[in-house]
Amino acid sequence: MPDSSAVRVALWAPFAQKADAVVAGERRPMTRASNLDAGAPAPNGGHPDASGLPDPDETWVIDLPAGTDYLLSIDDGEPRPDPRSRWQPGGVHQASRTFDVAAHAWADGQWPGLDALGRVFYEMHVGTFTDEGTLDAAIERLPHLVELGVEVVELMPVAAFPGERGWGYDGVALYAVQQSYGGPAALQRFVDAAHGLGLGVCLDVVYNHFGPAGNYAPVFGPYFTERHHTPWGAGINLDDRDNGGVRRFIVDNALQWLRDFHIDALRLDAVHALADDSGRHILAELSDEVHAWAKASGRTATLIAESDLNNPAMITPTVSGGLGMDGQWDDDVHHALHSYLTGETFGYYVDFGAPETLKKAFEHVFVHDGGYSTFREQNWGAPVADNVDRSRFVVFTQNHDQVGNRALGDRPDVRLDAGTVAGGAALLLLGPFTPLLFQGQEWGTRTPFQYFTHHDDELGELVRIGRTKEFATHGWEQIYGPGMQVPNPQSAETFLASKLDWTELGSPAHRAMLDWHRRLIALRGQLIGPRQPVAADYGDGWFRLVHGQVTVIVAPTDAPAELRDARGRVAASFGDANVADGRVHLGPHAVVVLTG
C-alpha cells in the first residue's frame, strides 16, 4: 500500500526501455504502470490509476513524498522537468516539485456550482491586475468585482511559462501554475475565496501549441507532428502515429483544473489551430469526458472555445455530430461594435463599421456566416440557427487580444468620448449574448495592456523583431501616425505600464463610468432573461437594440440624434437624453436605456 503522504508521478514515454526519477542527484527507477498492483490506489496528487492512459506499458510511475524536487530521465538520458509537473518553483527549466492537491482544506463544500453562460464575465491577467501581481493579491480585490455585479472571473492562462512576466500563452508546463503568481496552492486559495464570495472561476487553457522555450515534453514522447503546421510551428500530434498519450495529456489536463482546483469553466484558446483529422476530434473527446466527469461528480463544468471558424458545429452536441463545446467567443460582434463606435475599418476590421453590419451581428451572431471575408480572401463561416441560445456566445468590447494586439495596447477610452464608451457598454451588457469585461474597463481605465514577455535575450530579440514586422502590415499608422514605435515586449517597463492603476477610481469621471457599469449590470439581472427576442435598427447618427423589454439607443457621434418612434420609461442614461411622447432626443455621444 503506497504512503498516503506521497504523490504519484506518471510519465508517458512510449519508446523508453527504462525511466528514472532523479532526486538530489540519485536515480530512482520508475515502474511500468502495467506492473502496478491493480488494487493499490494512487497517492495524493497522482494520476488516479493507469486505466486512463493509452497503454500502461507506455507509462512509468513512481511515488515520491510531497514537496520532493525531482527530474525525469529515460534510457539514461539527461534529466528533464516532468511534462505533467504541477509545480515548477524554480521556473520551467528547473526541477519539478511534487504537489499534494489534497492538502488544501477546501471551504467551498456548499458551493452549488454554476452554468457560466449567460452570466457577466470579467477577464483578469493575474500579473497586472494588482501591483503585487499574485493570486493572493487578486483575492483582496474580489469584493470590488462582487460590488460591480460580476458573476464569473476568467483568469488568463496560469500554466507555467518562461520568465516571470508574460500573457501566459507561452506556457510549457501545462499542468503547473506559474510560480510568480504564487504556484498551485495559491490557485486553490483563489478559487476557494472566489466561491466564498459567490463568484465562479473560468480558466483560460492553451492546447494548440507549447511556448518556444522550456518545452521538454518531446524528450519523452511524440508530442508534435509534421503532418500539420500552425503559426507556432509543427502541429500538436493529435492524429499521427502514437498520438494516444498526447490526447490523454490534453484531456487529463482539463480534468485536473476542474477536479483538483475546483475551476467552474474552461476557455480553450484558439481551437481552430487544433488540427485533427482522426475519426474523433480531440474537442469532441474532451467534451464527452468533461461532461461525463461533471455528471458523475455532481458538478457543473462549462467549456468555452475561442474559434475563428464561425462554425456552429463548435457548439453542436457530440451526439449530433458536433464538437460539443458549451459556448464560444464571438469576435464578429466585437469587430462590428468596435468599428461602428470608432470608425476603424482597416486590417481585420475591413468588412465592419457600417450600422447594418452591427445589426446583423446582434440579430444573427456571425457577420461572416458563409459570405465573402475580405481579410481572409475567401468565403467564411456558416449561419447560426434562430433557435440557438445566444447566451452560448461570449462577446466583449475589450479583451486581452483586442486591446493587447493593438500596436500600442491602448484602451478605447483613450480615443473615444466617454459617452460613446458608455453606449458600447450598454449594448454589450444588455444584449442577448454572454458579456465579458476586461480588467479596468468598468471604470474606463486608460492603463494600456501591452504585449510583454520575459525570454532570454536571444529569443526575446526575435520576438521583438517579429512583433514589429507583424504590426507593420496591419495599417496601424492610420491611427497612430507615421513613425509608430511598438513597445518592446521584453522591456520591464512595458509590463509595468500595463499594470492597472487603481488610483484612477479617485477621479469623478472614472467613478461615473464605474457607476454606469454597475447600473447596467443591475438592469441586466432585473430585466434580461433567456431567449428573449432581439431586433436592431438604425438611422441618422443612432443605433437601437431592442432585447425583450429593454431598448438601448446610442448616438456615438459628434452630432445629436432624434427618434420619433421610441417608447418606454428611462431606466438609465449617460449624456444628454430627453424622452417624451415617443420621441427621443440624444445629444452627441449619449445613450439611453428604456424599459417597458
Side-chain angles (χ1 to χ4, degrees), residues 426-427 430 527-528 535 537 543-554 563 565-572 584 591-596:
L427 292 170
L430 297 177
L527 302 173
I528 300 299
D537 63 345
F543 185 89
R544 172 168 52 187
L545 174 70
V546 180
H547 181 206
Q549 59 182 314
V550 177
T551 298
V552 178
I553 306 171
V554 300
L563 289 79
D565 61 344
R567 296 186 179 276
R569 175 180 60 84
V570 176
V584 175
V591 54
V592 66
V593 178
L594 307 176
T595 62

Side-chain angles (χ1 to χ4, degrees), residues 279-596:
R280 187 185 185 205
H281 196 281
I282 185 62
L283 291 180
E285 181 177 341
L286 187 151
S287 171
D288 285 346
E289 291 219 27
V290 164
H291 292 132
W293 171 84
K295 182 178 180 179
S297 65
R299 291 270 306 281
T300 301
T302 305
L303 297 175
I304 302 170
E306 181 201 18
S307 173
D308 182 51
L309 301 178
N310 285 15
N311 190 342
M314 187 63 60
I315 59 169
T316 300
T318 58
V319 294
S320 299
L323 297 177
M325 298 292 101
D326 300 298
Q328 76 159 81
W329 275 29
D330 183 358
D331 280 339
D332 276 21
V333 174
H334 167 270
H335 294 354
L337 185 52
H338 177 86
S339 295
Y340 175 71
L341 296 177
T342 65
E344 295 178 6
T345 56
F346 55 86
Y348 50 69
Y349 295 137
V350 64
D351 290 334
F352 300 89
E356 57 264 35
T357 305
L358 182 57
K359 170 181 168 67
K360 180 177 181 180
F362 272 108
E363 292 182 347
H364 299 289
V365 182
F366 295 144
V367 172
H368 293 127
D369 56 3
Y372 189 74
S373 165
T374 305
F375 180 71
R376 300 179 180 93
E377 299 183 327
Q378 60 182 300
N379 290 336
W380 200 259
V384 176
D386 290 340
N387 63 352
V388 174
D389 189 343
R390 272 33 183 173
S391 71
R392 301 186 71 180
F393 298 91
V394 179
V395 303
F396 27 77
T397 54
Q398 299 184 37
N399 66 35
H400 71 275
D401 272 332
Q402 303 306 336
V403 175
N405 284 329
R406 295 176 66 81
L408 300 185
D410 53 311
R411 303 282 191 137
D413 306 80
V414 173
R415 299 182 176 276
L416 296 181
D417 186 277
T420 299
V421 173
L427 292 170
L428 170 72
L429 290 166
L430 297 177
F433 309 108
T434 293
L436 176 143
L437 301 173
F438 183 50
Q439 59 179 35
Q441 173 180 354
E442 69 274 19
W443 71 74
T445 184
R446 290 177 168 244
T447 304
F449 186 74
Q450 299 171 338
Y451 183 69
F452 44 84
T453 57
H454 193 198
H455 297 303
D456 63 61
D457 291 343
E458 181 178 355
L459 177 58
E461 180 62 10
L462 292 175
V463 170
R464 185 194 67 78
I465 293 172
R467 189 86 173 167
T468 301
K469 288 182 177 178
E470 176 186 0
F471 281 125
T473 65
H474 283 196
W476 290 112
E477 291 83 359
Q478 298 180 44
I479 299 297
Y480 306 113
M484 172 193 71
Q485 295 293 316
V486 178
N488 180 0
Q490 281 287 102
S491 170
E493 291 303 314
T494 302
F495 168 66
L496 293 172
S498 300
K499 283 185 175 284
L500 275 185
D501 180 5
W502 289 85
T503 66
E504 288 179 325
L505 286 171
S507 158
H510 288 298
R511 293 293 303 181
M513 188 62 74
L514 177 61
D515 290 342
W516 176 246
H517 280 79
R518 284 176 174 165
R519 176 61 177 155
L520 293 175
I521 293 174
L523 286 173
R524 178 182 179 84
Q526 295 163 13
L527 302 173
I528 300 299
R531 298 179 181 271
Q532 293 177 326
V534 177
D537 63 345
Y538 53 90
D540 186 15
W542 58 266
F543 185 89
R544 172 168 52 187
L545 174 70
V546 180
H547 181 206
Q549 59 182 314
V550 177
T551 298
V552 178
I553 306 171
V554 300
T557 70
D558 291 332
E562 185 172 272
L563 289 79
R564 302 191 179 191
D565 61 344
R567 296 186 179 276
R569 175 180 60 84
V570 176
S573 64
F574 198 104
D576 179 19
N578 188 334
V579 181
D581 300 324
R583 179 174 295 185
V584 175
H585 176 85
L586 293 177
H589 308 288
V591 54
V592 66
V593 178
L594 307 176
T595 62

Side-chain angles (χ1 to χ4, degrees), residues 235-252:
I236 301 295
N237 180 17
L238 301 172
D239 56 8
D240 208 345
R241 295 182 57 185
D242 303 299
N243 64 67
V246 183
R247 298 174 72 94
R248 194 71 242 164
F249 180 87
I250 291 173
V251 173
D252 283 351

